[in-house]
Amino acid sequence: GTLITRTISYYYPDQCKATHINGVPNSPPPLTRNPITALENAITPYTEGEEAGNERRAWFMTKGIGYSSLQATKPQTSGDGLTYSPVGLLAWIYEKLHDWTDSHPFIDHAILTRVCIYLFARARVKLGLVHFLKDLLAPPPR
């Protein structure tokens, strides 16, 4: 997704007005490539927001990335489970709503609506389930 989005925005800037990417690396700059920036980074303390972002990233890289490994290696396994198990689909969508929206207080009706739209449309899960679910995971308008 990220590579494709960046490629589209690069080659078609007039048609692509905006992009959303994630997975941007946030490691310190290497001393050998950019010594001044690396030294500035080493002596400048992180802000509270940066610290919180680093902690969130560390959590995600250890506890929240399992879905990515599963989809990268066995996408049909998770796809079939979500297609044929309403409870599995509910658990998957609820978990993503909880983890990816910083615990936004979704009401039960909103969660069940998302599950029903997906389930009753009889959409067959293909590679890239996460990209399909991104629209369903968006918080409802207030």
Side-chain angles (χ1 to χ4, degrees):
T2 298
L3 179 60
I4 292 168
T5 300
R6 292 182 73 187
T7 302
I8 290 171
S9 64
Y10 180 80
Y11 286 108
Y12 304 99
D14 292 336
Q15 291 81 13
C16 181
K17 301 299 181 194
T19 60
H20 169 79
I21 60 171
N22 59 15
V24 178
N26 70 342
S27 55
L31 186 61
T32 56
R33 287 180 125 180
N34 198 337
I36 293 173
T37 305
L39 290 172
E40 285 175 350
N41 184 70
I43 62 172
T44 306
Y46 290 120
T47 66
E48 245 181 70
E50 290 168 335
E51 264 315 316
N54 286 336
E55 289 171 14
R56 175 75 169 154
R57 180 181 179 276
W59 173 87
F60 186 79
M61 295 307 290
T62 57
K63 307 264 193 251
I65 201 158
Y67 80 94
S68 182
S69 297
L70 178 62
Q71 286 189 260
T73 58
K74 306 284 185 201
Q76 199 60 47
T77 303
S78 60
D80 286 345
L82 297 175
T83 298
Y84 300 114
S85 172
V87 174
L89 181 63
L90 173 64
W92 177 274
I93 290 177
Y94 183 81
E95 177 188 53
K96 299 306 171 232
L97 286 171
H98 179 271
D99 288 353
W100 292 355
T101 61
D102 296 324
S103 302
H104 179 80
F106 285 95
I107 58 172
D108 291 346
H109 178 75
I111 295 169
L112 292 174
T113 298
R114 285 167 168 75
V115 171
C116 288
I117 288 170
Y118 184 83
L119 190 63
F120 298 150
R122 299 244 185 247
R124 180 86 171 125
V125 177
K126 302 288 181 195
L127 305 175
L129 172 67
V130 170
H131 300 293
F132 177 80
L133 289 177
K134 73 177 171 42
D135 292 331
L136 296 178
L137 295 174
R142 293 182 183 206

